[in-house]
Amino acid sequence: MSTDTTLDRPVSTVDPFSHEFLRNPYPHHEALREAGSVVWLEQYGIWTMARHQEVRDALTDWQTYCSSAGVGLSDFRKEPPWRPPSIILEADPPLHTRTRAVLTRILSPAAINVLRETFAREAEALVARVVEQREFDGIADLAEAYPLKVFPDAVGISEDGRENLLPYGSMVFNGFGPRNDLFEKAMACAGPVREWIMSKCSRAALAPDGLGMQIFQAVDSGELSEAEAGMLVRSFLSAGVDTTVYGLGNALYCFAHYPEQWTILRENPNLVRGAFEEVLRFEAPVQTFFRTTTRAVEVSGVRLGEGEKVLLFLAAANRDPRRWDRPDVFDVRRRATGHMTFGTGIHGCVGQAIARLESEAILGALTKRVASFELAGEPKPRLNNTLRGLDTLPLRVVPA
Ligand code: EJD
């Protein structure tokens, strides 16, 4: 007879990285939430958490749930990572504390506010152009075109070669998953894409007045080494493009799918900020992240061992009925803050002021010019091991 009180672990055979799961994750999220506080995924030999409280608790306990073994499925202590680890994302204190302090300063809401006019002007121009077209692809023509212009401009990298940014992001975000077909396909063009990215991370490649050069100024003040500054520019180029592309694309999808919510937004443009938070809650562009346990830990009576991978389902936490009223209803008037899409705790999104700025610029411009969106064709998903979003979104707009 057993003398401890540890419960039997809930088990699931689901593959969270299968096409079937990625195409429509929501019923699987519900099953994982209902299976228990923490669930063993047999296929991968890892844990997962899908409830709001548990995801939040894990994200705020970095001592137990570390990032330095990688925030993807691969355990950096057991197999070599596909690229040198990020010194902010894939790091724990004290290294993380030092690198994070630099980016927190450069990306603070006040520092990012100086970009507002430029971002608004670019958004107005792009929105005017697509609205004139009447029919366009919400992904290529808007959700990709906008961040691919304003973000590299803000970082201060040259115009040429920017077509490498999305393939690199595909490598980064598919690279957090297992070595499945999505992983292999993303990595097929790895060589030249990585070389281009790395060539843009040096002091010599950066404009004097951009966010990238501000990182190098932290070398001059003794906070970082020259090599570390280059690695943090790489972090900008890794994290700053696809995330906002998928976020803006999901926003357009939500408003094409729920036209009455667009009407509410047009009548109350002051809701734009909250509406984007609701998009992030409802169709989270970043679905999942991993942590690795640094010690044995008990979660609701289930014992997790040391050195075990834990898949945190941000997107499932965002629709946990324990936390949200009518979680499957898209409602721009809701208080959606508290969603897990930006994470929380010491690794909470450091770039969220830029993400919000981009969304406010685009949604603000659209509320002025678009009376309604219609689907002009079937949206096609772009499956990714970490991100949720679309490959194409054929839209027709009724001008305001
Ligand atoms: C990320 C989910 C990096 C890096 C940092 C953050 C992300 C990706 C890469 C943003 C993940 O430092 O390279 S949302």
Side-chain angles (χ1 to χ4, degrees):
M1 206 186 95
S2 142
T3 53
D4 65 48
T5 55
T6 314
L7 300 173
D8 275 352
R9 59 188 188 184
V11 174
S12 169
T13 58
V14 79
D15 176 1
F17 305 99
S18 68
H19 288 212
E20 190 273 325
F21 189 108
L22 296 172
R23 264 175 209 287
N24 181 15
Y26 299 113
H28 297 296
H29 291 171
E30 184 182 6
L32 290 171
R33 278 192 307 262
E34 296 315 309
S37 288
V38 59
V39 181
W40 182 251
L41 292 179
E42 224 162 46
Q43 173 162 356
Y44 294 105
I46 62 171
W47 298 98
T48 188
M49 298 178 189
R51 296 183 184 174
H52 188 275
Q53 180 73 47
E54 281 74 3
V55 167
R56 190 166 208 291
D57 288 350
L59 286 173
T60 45
D61 183 0
W62 58 267
Q63 287 100 334
T64 306
Y65 300 95
C66 80
S67 292
S68 55
V71 298
L73 177 63
S74 167
D75 187 337
F76 292 178
R77 296 163 192 189
K78 296 180 183 160
E79 51 183 355
W82 69 272
R83 62 171 193 164
S86 162
I87 60 172
I88 183 159
L89 178 75
E90 294 154 335
D92 296 321
L95 170 60
H96 172 270
T97 313
R98 187 163 56 82
T99 54
R100 172 82 187 201
V102 174
L103 294 197
T104 299
R105 186 172 70 234
I106 296 172
L107 301 176
S108 74
I112 290 310
N113 228 341
V114 309
L115 298 169
R116 185 171 296 269
E117 251 180 78
T118 310
F119 276 42
R121 185 172 9 91
E122 294 293 345
E124 304 280 353
L126 184 58
V127 165
R129 203 180 319 148
V130 295
V131 171
E132 219 156 277
Q133 281 172 235
R134 287 298 150 82
E135 285 199 20
F136 60 95
D137 181 359
I139 304 305
D141 300 335
L142 203 49
E144 289 181 354
Y146 182 67
L148 280 173
K149 170 68 181 155
V150 297
F151 185 72
D153 281 1
V155 174
I157 66 173
S158 60
E159 301 259 356
D160 60 289
R162 290 184 183 183
E163 67 277 4
N164 287 289
L165 287 166
L166 288 175
Y168 189 69
S170 178
M171 290 159 59
V172 168
F173 289 97
N174 281 305
F176 294 129
R179 295 192 174 242
N180 58 11
D181 60 314
L182 295 169
F183 184 110
E184 299 299 343
K185 198 162 170 246
M187 297 296 176
C189 52
V193 171
R194 282 175 70 181
E195 271 171 52
W196 182 86
I197 292 287
M198 293 321 293
S199 78
K200 296 295 156 188
C201 292
S202 70
R203 196 190 279 261
L206 293 163
D209 52 352
L211 300 173
M213 194 60 87
Q214 289 182 43
I215 298 179
F216 279 92
Q217 282 157 8
V219 178
D220 308 331
S221 62
E223 289 168 280
L224 301 172
S225 72
E226 190 85 5
E228 286 173 335
M231 285 295 283
L232 289 180
V233 175
R234 193 194 72 171
S235 289
F236 274 4
L237 302 182
S238 302
V241 182
D242 293 59
T243 48
T244 54
V245 166
Y246 282 65
L248 293 173
N250 290 355
L252 295 173
Y253 171 76
C254 286
F255 290 115
H257 205 264
Y258 302 102
E260 79 288 353
Q261 294 295 311
W262 184 251
T263 306
I264 294 172
L265 196 58
R266 285 204 69 218
E267 288 166 359
N268 311 273
N270 59 317
L271 292 179
V272 160
R273 239 184 130 80
F276 186 61
E277 298 303 314
E278 175 66 349
V279 170
L280 295 179
R281 182 194 73 82
F282 187 77
E283 288 287 3
V286 181
Q287 294 269 301
T288 50
F289 255 95
F290 290 83
R291 292 292 188 258
T292 310
T293 57
T294 57
R295 61 176 178 91
V297 56
E298 200 180 294
V299 177
S300 305
V302 176
R303 185 186 176 278
L304 284 57
E306 188 252 299
E308 298 192 319
K309 282 280 173 180
V310 184
L311 173 59
L312 301 177
F313 257 106
L314 313 178
N318 287 350
R319 290 178 179 225
D320 184 350
R322 294 162 191 78
R323 168 65 179 76
W324 309 93
D325 293 329
R326 300 177 305 139
D328 297 319
V329 175
F330 176 67
D331 175 6
V332 297
R333 309 189 107 116
R334 157 199 313 270
R335 289 175 46 119
T337 50
H339 67 71
M340 287 294 121
T341 307
F342 285 134
T344 189
I346 65 167
H347 289 277
C349 181
V350 75
Q352 56 188 281
I354 301 189
R356 293 204 174 99
L357 186 60
E358 289 185 24
S359 70
E360 286 165 39
I362 287 290
L363 293 178
L366 288 169
T367 55
K368 289 184 225 161
R369 290 187 189 259
V370 175
S372 65
F373 298 97
E374 286 166 31
L375 286 175
E378 194 56 32
K380 284 197 188 60
R382 181 177 296 170
L383 301 187
N384 181 291
N385 282 330
T386 302
L387 304 174
R388 175 167 174 79
L390 296 171
D391 195 47
T392 57
L393 176 61
L395 289 177
R396 189 167 36 241
V397 297
V398 177

